Amino acid sequence: VNGKVNTLNGKDDIAEAVAVAGGKIVSVGTTGSIEEILDKESKIIDLQGKTVLPGFVESHCHPSMAGLKLCFEVDVRNAASIDDIIDLLRQKAETLPNGKWVKGFGYNDQRLEERRHPTRWDLDKATTSHPVFLGRTDGHLAVTNSLGLSMAKITKSTADPAGGRFDRDPNTGEPTGVLRETAQGRVKALIPQYSVGKIKNGLVAACRQLAAWGITSFHDAAVDHDSMIAYQELLAEKQLPLRVAMMIPGNPMLELAGYLEELKVLGIRAGFGNDRLRFYGTKFLCDGSMSGWTAALYEPYANAPDEYGIIVSSEEELTNGIVEAHKAGLRPVTHAIGDR
């Protein structure tokens, strides 16, 4: 009550108060009209003139990934330089036994003083006793140190994988540790997976952050097997505070398996679930990210004249997957960033 309620009802009507029962809005009007329907069980929130908006819907985010990073990995988003990143990773390594993975996330080469990606040799300054995996802010690139490359058996003679690329020193041909798109998979396969319990912890943390921004519904744009279990357990335990629509990978994406054939066999269709948790669609991946220079372009990037991006899925694979998903009622959803 006692607020400025933007209804967004097509007429841009502004009300003073809203009544909610059973999770749904039952009345919108003046403070006086709403007070008439209250009873002793009603919880009253005096807005003191503040504005109320309908909850925002986030149509593409990754809480099942981001929550884990927020809870269990080294956050380097505010690092101003590669030296800052090295210091943060070193501090984490000092708390772990030798051989344990040090995982970091959120660097943006365009915001670093050096205006470049960290390399294996940079990360070696943080630790040579721990393998390191550092993800870029967009998730489409990552960097590992020399120990990580060695464990993954990636050398100058290792061929680039389909849909990915190992960056190499232009003079020696040695891998620099920068892993683009599917090239991350060879290293990620060596990193122990998070348990369903930890995924649940991450999802709760991510939901709290989203709610703080006014987001009440979201589409998780890549839900794997264990994350689907985590979502279902949170729902059953009444610990899922926001409404979730899940996209299930149709083709393999980075390190995620594709589930198109399994979904077809099960007969699940888009929309299956309830108003709290439902299956939204089957996701396919064409290319990468614009800021990471892996979005596929016809013309080279203005600030990288030899770079045209990366096609992650072949035309044949993409066509077959989308047609099959459409025929099965699985609503194809396609990540396609660059014009190519």
Side-chain angles (χ1 to χ4, degrees), residues 6 55 122 136 147 167 180 211-212 217 239 246 259 296 334 336:
N6 291 4
D122 294 317
R136 192 179 184 274
L147 181 56
D167 278 16
R180 297 177 185 263
S217 305
Q239 296 298 313
M246 300 182 293
Y259 294 101
T334 310

Side-chain angles (χ1 to χ4, degrees), residues 66-217:
L68 287 166
K69 298 181 189 305
L70 290 169
C71 290
F72 304 111
E73 300 181 12
V74 181
D75 185 348
V76 305
R77 288 176 294 177
N78 293 324
S81 67
I82 290 174
D83 282 342
D84 288 347
I85 293 174
I86 292 169
D87 287 341
L88 290 166
L89 295 175
R90 180 188 295 119
Q91 291 172 33
K92 181 65 174 179
E94 289 172 351
T95 70
L96 298 173
N98 288 349
K100 291 287 186 180
W101 283 88
V102 175
K103 298 182 69 177
F105 75 96
Y107 87 88
N108 185 342
D109 46 293
Q110 298 304 306
R111 293 184 178 178
L112 298 175
E113 290 176 3
E114 297 85 355
R115 302 280 290 183
R116 65 171 177 83
H117 298 286
T119 66
R120 61 190 287 188
W121 300 289
D122 294 317
L123 301 190
D124 286 348
K125 296 176 183 176
T127 178
T128 57
S129 304
H130 307 76
V132 176
F133 186 89
L134 174 66
R136 192 179 184 274
T137 183
D138 57 357
H140 288 264
L141 292 89
V143 190
T144 190
N145 63 349
S146 296
L147 181 56
L149 287 174
S150 175
M151 290 171 62
K153 295 181 171 56
I154 298 170
T155 67
K156 65 187 302 182
S157 61
T158 304
D160 291 336
R165 188 167 74 232
F166 303 116
D167 278 16
R168 303 172 193 273
D169 183 286
N171 297 316
T172 66
E174 289 290 339
T176 67
V178 176
L179 314 166
R180 297 177 185 263
E181 299 297 339
T182 60
Q184 299 176 61
R186 191 153 173 170
V187 177
K188 279 197 167 185
L190 303 174
I191 303 174
Q193 297 295 303
Y194 287 108
S195 66
V196 170
K198 286 191 172 182
I199 296 173
K200 289 165 68 176
N201 291 340
L203 285 173
V204 169
C207 283
R208 285 177 180 154
Q209 177 63 82
L210 290 167
W213 289 329
I215 294 166
T216 57
S217 305

Side-chain angles (χ1 to χ4, degrees), residues 13-72:
D13 288 338
I14 305 297
E16 292 180 329
V18 179
V20 176
K24 294 189 176 182
I25 294 172
V26 295
S27 184
V28 180
T30 65
T31 293
S33 68
I34 296 300
E35 287 176 339
E36 290 178 1
I37 64 174
L38 303 181
D39 59 32
K40 62 180 181 180
E41 301 297 325
S42 300
K43 177 182 178 182
I44 302 173
I45 299 173
D46 186 344
L47 295 169
Q48 299 179 345
K50 291 185 173 66
T51 297
V52 175
L53 295 166
F56 300 125
V57 178
E58 170 54 72
S59 63
H60 183 131
C61 57
H62 294 281
S64 54
M65 300 179 186
L68 287 166
K69 298 181 189 305
L70 290 169
C71 290
F72 304 111

